[in-house]
Amino acid sequence: MVVIEAENNISSLKTQLLANYVFTDELSSLSLSEMTPDFDPFIREIIEAKEFAGKDGTICVIHNIAGSRIKRTLLLGMGDKKNLNPEKTRNLTGKVVKKSKELGISEFVLNPFISIDKDHLSALVEGIKLTDYSFDNYKREKDGNELSHVRILVRNDLENNKKIIQRSAVVSDAVIFTRNLSNLPPNDCSPKDLATFALDLSKNQKLKVSIIEEGEMESKGFGGILAVGKGSSSSPKLIVLEYSGTTKNEKPIVIVGKAVTFDTGGISIKPSEKMEEMKFDKCGGCNILGIMKAVSDLNLESNVIGIIPAVENMPSGSSYRPGDIIRMYNRKTVEVINTDAEGRIILGDALSYGVKIFAPKAIIDMATLTGAAIIALGTNVAALVGNDKELVTKILECSNQTGEKIWQLPLFEEHKEQLKSSNADIKNIGGRPAGAITAAAFLSNFVDDIPWVHLDIAGTAWNQEGTKEKSYNPKGATGFGIRTILKYVANHNPL
Ligand code: BES
Ligand code: MN
Ligand code: ZN
């Protein structure tokens, strides 16, 4: 894994590549002579010839003469300085990483050219680490060279900047940890495997991890998780991770993530086209593992509980059926109309367990819950539904800072009415209209009056191809949502 360091020794810098962040409105005053006197005249000529104008994401690489301390210089176009923001910095930094890989270079230096603030410095680190990632454990031939070492030039406050880099590296590593889990094929990631990965975390982290097994679920009445899990030969698990970062008697934040290790749809089986992608139906749960890992690595002064209902949704002689009526953990009954609407059922149990056992100050769930969320918002924006203005506002603020785009959808009584059943308290689907909202309406039955936010990450949790919009999101799992929720949880210790 790439090592990232702060560097302030500018005059004797030695590197394969020095990448300079260049704004369109600072081209005329651009001077690199401080570090690279040899380059200066060439760069001036390139700029005068308008071969490089600093436009967003444009790149120009120049070779120095043989024997120079700095082998190549790279200009990265950053557009107008007034349009600068951390997400742009994160995204365009990814382009430098990609270019360096094209060139076969595993080490470079970034010269951000701005009196860089905390958020932009973090964005550099994230841009490097998240773009460097590839999932190739199962390939005998690897995808390309990995970076080994990147330095970031900082002109002042070296110690503080080192700390910022270190903390951002931990956050990025949590995203990478989660991507590695989420990308696992379903034959290597059963509910039991997930439980094992969670238990592994408790070995060297300040985390208490417990697994509620099928038998205990039966005696405690987890009718939802049990029903969905019934059709699989891998039994369901309820994974609970506890972190206490403050001795104060502070109420915890509970985070819940859907982990359907494979979603065939069950008896209401899905079409076979693209069904392999349903290995990503565990992304919400894997996010929880990454967040809990980071929370403990960063020693955050918060109390946080992670809950992951893990099941495999399979069709078999022992599957739950359309028409079944199940009794959930909070005693409400649910008429199953479609066994493919399974995520909300397992989350219902997990949410009401979180509310009852931990009396949290806030409860947040993440789930690849509905295709309708993709229809509504596309593949770059997650849907949010909540019951508490203050919590919703906080999460949206965090999302603005991390570049993980989230948009709120409403939840009205009319939506809840779509779930009325003539045979049970509620049914598990509300028809096609407002599909992402009625899924959330279902969940609202299981959170009582606790401030709650639901994030539907069906569109954002993975990419079919690497996206053009975000250089740092590769093909496969993205870890979307981890950085935003970590920001929220960190609260007293800003990231
Ligand atoms: N895991 C799916 C949602 C999903 C679909 C995520 C496509 C990402 C891409 C979920 O369990 C599901 O099957 N939802 C159904 C609900 C329907 C039966 C009401 C859906 O969205 O089609
Ligand atoms: Mn489903
Ligand atoms: Zn699902």
Side-chain angles (χ1 to χ4, degrees), residues 3 25 106 118 168 210 249 260 266 291 300 311 319 323 329 333 434 437 455 457 489:
V3 175
D25 39 350
S106 62
K118 178 174 143 300
S168 312
S210 40
N249 224 351
V260 175
I291 293 169
L300 295 186
V311 302
S319 297
Y329 180 77
T333 55
I437 302 177
L455 295 177
I457 56 171
V489 169

Side-chain angles (χ1 to χ4, degrees), residues 261-456:
T261 60
F262 194 69
D263 182 13
T264 64
I267 296 300
S268 316
I269 197 163
K270 287 180 183 295
S272 55
E273 199 185 336
K274 296 264 170 72
M275 202 202 268
E276 74 280 4
E277 288 189 17
M278 281 302 127
K279 70 172 186 176
F280 292 118
D281 215 16
K282 59 183 181 295
C283 284
C286 295
N287 277 359
I288 303 300
L289 291 180
I291 293 169
M292 295 307 289
K293 175 174 157 48
V295 161
S296 97
D297 282 346
L298 293 166
N299 275 314
L300 295 186
E301 288 166 24
S302 320
N303 296 332
V304 191
I305 310 288
I307 304 180
I308 306 167
V311 302
E312 187 181 42
N313 189 20
M314 295 293 265
S316 79
S318 58
S319 297
Y320 79 134
R321 325 156 187 77
D324 281 359
I325 296 179
I326 56 192
R327 189 177 292 280
M328 302 285 284
Y329 180 77
N330 73 350
R331 312 312 289 157
K332 287 191 184 175
T333 55
V334 172
E335 182 179 18
V336 178
I337 305 297
N338 187 318
T339 62
D340 197 12
E342 83 297 340
R344 60 195 77 182
I345 298 179
I346 62 169
L347 285 171
D349 270 359
L351 286 167
S352 50
Y353 178 74
V355 164
K356 182 174 172 196
I357 303 297
F358 299 103
K361 64 177 172 196
I363 188 159
I364 300 169
D365 76 79
M366 279 187 268
T368 49
L369 204 60
T370 65
I374 313 176
I375 303 297
L377 297 171
T379 54
N380 256 313
V381 184
L384 177 153
V385 174
N387 65 359
D388 182 87
K389 260 210 171 111
E390 199 184 314
L391 179 62
V392 168
T393 306
K394 276 191 191 157
I395 299 289
L396 290 176
E397 272 169 17
C398 293
S399 133
N400 270 333
Q401 291 170 27
T402 59
E404 294 179 322
K405 294 200 175 86
I406 294 174
W407 196 256
Q408 185 181 10
L409 301 178
L411 175 54
F412 291 116
E413 280 310 311
E414 287 87 335
H415 297 119
K416 297 183 184 170
E417 275 164 27
Q418 283 178 242
L419 296 173
K420 275 197 174 147
S421 158
S422 44
N423 300 312
D425 295 333
I426 48 175
K427 56 184 178 183
N428 80 327
I429 59 170
R432 277 172 70 83
I437 302 177
T438 54
F442 182 94
L443 300 180
S444 73
N445 280 285
F446 302 92
V447 293
D448 298 345
D449 295 326
I450 304 292
W452 159 68
V453 153
H454 157 66
L455 295 177
D456 193 331

Side-chain angles (χ1 to χ4, degrees), residues 8 29-30 45 51 54 82 128 146 181 347 420 455 466 494:
N8 65 351
S29 58
L30 181 68
E45 255 184 50
E51 283 171 35
K82 66 171 188 308
I128 296 162
E146 262 201 17
L181 290 178
L347 285 171
K420 275 197 174 147
L455 295 177

